Amino acid sequence: MSAIIELNGLRKVYSKRRGDDVVAVEGFDLALGRPGAVHGYLGPNGSGKTTTIRCLLGLIRPTSGTTTVFGVDSSRYHEVAGRVGAIVENPKMFPNFSGKRNLSLLAGISGIPTNEVDRVLGVVGLTDRAKDNFGSYSLGMKQRLAIAAALLKNPDLLILDEPGNGLDPAGIAEMRVLIRNIADQGKAVLVSSHQLAEIEIVCDDVTIISNGRLIESGTLDHIRSFAGGDNVVLTIADTEAALVALEQARIVAHRRPKPGELLVDVAAERTSEVTEVLAAKGLYLSGLRSERPTLEAAFLNLTGAPPPPDGPIAPPGPPNPPPSGNQTEVGGQQ
Amino acid sequence: MMLLTLTEFKRLMLRRMTLAFPAGLAALMVGGIAIAYFVISADANDTPDLVQDIAGGTGLDSYFLPIAALLPLMAFVIGASYFGADVKTGTIEQILTWEPRRARLLAARLVSAFVGVAFLVALLAVLYVILTFVLATLVGTTDGTNAEFWTNVAGAVLRLAVAGGLFGAFGMGVTVLTNNSLASIVGFIIYWFIIDSLIGVFLPRLSVFSPITNATAFANGSSVERLSGSVFTGNAETIVSHGPAAAGLILLAWVLGALVLSALVFQQRDIA
């Protein structure tokens, strides 16, 4: 079965008034989206995610290349608009209209009955606040209303651009459940985000872009494979001495953001080598656990971005080639 | 297309600006007539005649003058903010994901702006007629309000409504071009009160094509006049350029020009 979304040589350049053109999307081919699957479209802020989505929806014109949705070129997007629900960046509704009125006005464009408005308000848990003005909503409620708007068409493809923006942890967890439920109904979901850890939990497939370039695309496991193998996390009192000891034994290790923790690039079955080396130096562990490679680790390896101590990823530099062996530097500070 | 137009009309009529501006004007009219009532009541010799004193004769030469400047301004502001609010809030992006055909969206909005604003202008004009009639009944006379008078009033209200609707559509078209309702409104006011007057003095041959002048002539059912000769040499005289029907067509040409240009720009614009 062919992909729902196809990008062919997509390139978008924004012309600035003072002459400095900004290349938002460098021009790449990509096929993504399948029924019942969540596809994460990931990249740092400014990497070209929203520009790609706007091109898909016909909101902006590509400088060159084409995009298709359900096999239809975006210049004829109206032919498939009824099958696509979308949120682009922040929720955009009329602040002086109630949530319900905002949805009713959108529903009216396609002749969707009012009871469907009530239904989607219930799906996103906004029935009680439906008559309140959109302007009085919290950011999380606004996001939920925007999702309700996207769901109004009962779309076959749902495009959510940064749906977790502004949500608290509980809101993000709710959003994940909602996204998964939608996909489980056989719909294709494209979720763009820069919050890799949040998206990793819900995605089946992943595309990573950076600086307007396609870095890698495939299943979640395929992308994770770029993070290298399993790792071991040690908790130890003297991390400096442990680092020196491991280095002398030619075992790659890194500091972790959390004090007293080291990330060691060895598979779980080689843990005994590590403990032997440390014990020989009189260094004893207070904790040890194995850690699966994360999407974030894969992303950092793929893009060459400096690993952040916490929070969302930082804009990376130019992409690096895929890593080899377990010599990659994952999840720690240099 | 019908669903889209009906939805857009509903969206326009539910907007705060669409309701607040006419409500403010209605309040001004009621206040103005109330003041007039007390002023006239205080003078036993002042018994205004609706037809002669207020309307300026059966030809209604001065009947709508007190509201003539406010109605086009209201129409333009409502039309401009109708589109400008979408740009400001970003809702145009949301709407375009539902109706990606921009020409259709613009056409639906054009119809909504024209019909909606024309309706509001007609309502206000009718309110004004009712208020002046009540005033004349209470403190003056309504003698002479025969069928010809009311026919003329109905025609004037209709023309005012059409002119208002056109100004509403014009305001929307200009705002599609500027992408900013405040810029459109300020530009319109500057044009109306400064540039249009300067053109009237320095370029009288061009002034006969002014949208303001032609709207006024069309709404009043009067001719467009211009100066011939020079005001500086003292030999200027006023001559008739064209009648109200031609004035209406010139106004329509302005509106259509703005809309065609705005449609071309909107079709090509990146919504980002």
Side-chain angles (χ1 to χ4, degrees):
Chain A
M1 184 178 175
S2 61
I4 291 173
I5 294 170
E6 290 183 15
L7 314 180
N8 303 301
L10 179 67
R11 178 178 162 84
K12 178 63 185 178
V13 180
Y14 290 109
S15 298
K16 297 287 180 186
R17 285 179 185 166
R18 293 185 179 177
D20 298 331
D21 288 351
V22 174
V23 181
V25 178
E26 277 283 9
F28 55 77
D29 299 336
L30 179 63
L32 56 89
R34 54 191 169 94
V38 179
H39 193 112
Y41 194 57
L42 311 178
N45 290 330
S47 59
K49 302 186 298 293
T50 301
T51 297
T52 312
I53 289 173
R54 285 199 167 110
C55 287
L56 284 174
L57 299 173
L59 294 170
I60 59 176
R61 290 166 197 281
T63 306
S64 61
T66 59
T67 62
T68 63
V69 179
F70 293 115
V72 172
D73 189 272
S74 62
S75 61
R76 291 180 291 119
Y77 175 71
H78 61 272
E79 292 175 15
V80 293
R83 298 176 65 189
V84 182
I87 305 174
V88 186
E89 279 192 322
N90 309 316
K92 286 152 187 155
M93 303 271 180
F94 289 98
N96 298 324
F97 288 175
S98 71
K100 184 171 181 175
R101 178 167 283 172
N102 268 297
L103 294 194
S104 297
L105 287 170
L106 289 173
I109 294 174
S110 298
I112 295 169
T114 312
N115 59 0
E116 192 61 14
V117 171
D118 294 331
R119 187 188 70 80
V120 294
L121 282 167
V123 169
V124 299
L126 281 177
T127 304
D128 293 344
R129 297 290 305 272
K131 291 183 178 172
D132 293 345
N133 277 2
F134 178 74
S136 71
Y137 285 6
S138 67
L139 188 52
M141 292 167 70
K142 288 177 178 175
Q143 287 282 19
R144 276 150 57 196
L145 189 73
I147 289 182
L151 291 175
L152 255 182
K153 297 178 191 173
N154 195 18
D156 296 322
L157 168 64
L158 188 63
I159 298 175
L160 304 174
D161 187 11
E162 304 282 3
N165 267 3
L167 296 185
D168 56 23
I172 289 173
E174 280 177 28
M175 184 71 67
R176 282 200 303 259
V177 172
L178 186 62
I179 289 171
R180 194 65 255 175
N181 286 344
I182 292 164
D184 289 345
Q185 290 167 24
K187 299 173 188 308
V189 183
L190 174 68
V191 185
S192 101
S193 182
H194 64 278
Q195 294 172 328
L196 306 187
E198 300 303 337
I199 289 301
E200 183 173 11
I201 300 169
V202 78
C203 282
D204 303 294
D205 305 314
V206 172
T207 293
I208 292 178
I209 67 168
S210 178
N211 290 337
R213 294 186 177 91
L214 175 65
I215 304 299
E216 192 58 56
S217 187
T219 63
L220 185 58
D221 285 340
H222 169 72
I223 298 296
R224 275 185 182 141
S225 70
F226 287 87
D230 290 352
N231 298 119
V232 171
V233 178
L234 310 179
T235 309
I236 194 164
D238 191 347
T239 52
E240 294 305 317
L243 274 172
V244 172
L246 291 169
E247 190 179 355
Q248 286 169 353
R250 297 178 176 240
I251 296 172
V252 178
H254 319 277
R255 289 181 197 87
R256 295 272 293 195
K258 190 175 176 184
E261 277 194 357
L262 293 179
L263 182 80
V264 186
D265 290 353
V266 296
E269 56 269 23
R270 290 180 58 209
T271 307
S272 58
E273 289 178 33
V274 176
T275 52
E276 264 183 49
V277 166
L278 294 174
K281 298 284 182 184
L283 300 165
Y284 297 98
L285 305 180
S286 57
L288 183 146
R289 67 177 191 275
S290 66
E291 192 172 84
R292 283 191 71 192
T294 62
L295 186 58
E296 182 174 289
F299 178 90
L300 297 174
N301 271 340
L302 285 165
T303 61
D310 199 8
I313 51 179
N320 281 352
S324 58
N326 62 356
Q327 294 301 306
T328 53
E329 298 170 341
V330 178
Q333 289 178 315
Q334 305 298 303
Chain B
M1 185 67 193
M2 183 61 79
L3 278 176
L4 178 64
T5 307
L6 286 173
T7 306
E8 282 302 326
F9 183 74
K10 197 174 168 187
R11 191 193 307 276
L12 169 70
M13 300 311 282
L14 288 169
R15 294 192 65 244
R16 191 181 284 178
M17 176 64 83
T18 309
L19 302 174
F21 206 140
L25 275 187
L28 266 180
M29 282 185 206
V30 172
I33 293 292
I35 291 169
Y37 169 78
F38 288 114
V39 169
I40 295 167
S41 297
D43 184 353
N45 296 323
D46 193 357
T47 53
D49 181 328
L50 176 65
V51 177
Q52 296 304 325
D53 299 331
I54 298 175
T58 51
L60 312 179
D61 291 346
S62 58
Y63 196 18
F64 291 100
L65 277 182
I67 59 171
L70 293 173
L71 291 182
L73 182 63
M74 177 194 84
F76 189 94
V77 169
I78 290 174
S81 71
Y82 177 35
F83 190 86
D86 278 319
V87 175
K88 190 176 174 186
T89 58
T91 44
I92 191 71
E93 197 171 77
Q94 172 80 274
I95 293 166
L96 282 172
T97 63
W98 283 73
E99 177 46 84
R101 285 165 292 189
R102 300 184 187 188
R104 281 167 71 100
L105 180 63
L106 211 55
R109 293 203 150 200
L110 162 68
V111 172
S112 303
F114 177 80
V115 174
V117 175
F119 173 71
L120 291 170
V121 169
L123 270 186
L124 288 171
V126 167
L127 173 67
Y128 175 75
V129 171
I130 291 170
L131 289 172
T132 52
F133 185 83
V134 169
L135 177 71
T137 304
L138 292 175
V139 294
T141 176
T142 58
D143 289 350
T145 51
N146 53 19
E148 183 194 359
F149 175 79
W150 289 118
T151 303
N152 288 346
V153 168
V157 169
L158 188 65
R159 286 195 305 273
L160 268 174
V162 170
L166 288 174
F167 265 97
F170 189 52
M172 196 193 82
V174 171
T175 305
V176 174
L177 292 173
T178 62
N179 227 16
N180 184 317
S181 52
L182 186 62
S184 302
I185 293 165
V186 170
F188 179 67
I189 290 171
I190 290 173
Y191 173 79
W192 187 353
F193 292 104
I194 299 174
I195 298 174
D196 200 51
S197 304
L198 292 175
I199 290 173
V201 174
F202 294 106
L203 299 164
R205 285 181 188 280
L206 276 184
S207 72
V208 297
F209 298 107
S210 153
I212 309 293
T213 306
N214 284 285
T216 307
F218 173 70
N220 288 341
S222 58
S223 296
V224 171
E225 297 172 337
R226 69 173 174 87
L227 287 175
S228 177
S230 171
V231 290
F232 301 109
T233 56
N235 63 351
E237 59 174 330
T238 302
I239 62 170
V240 172
S241 173
H242 52 261
L249 288 175
I250 289 172
L251 178 61
L252 183 64
W254 270 100
V255 176
L256 289 178
L259 289 170
V260 168
L261 200 57
S262 64
L264 291 173
V265 169
F266 187 51
Q267 196 71 25
Q268 298 299 322
R269 179 178 288 155
D270 280 348
I271 307 297

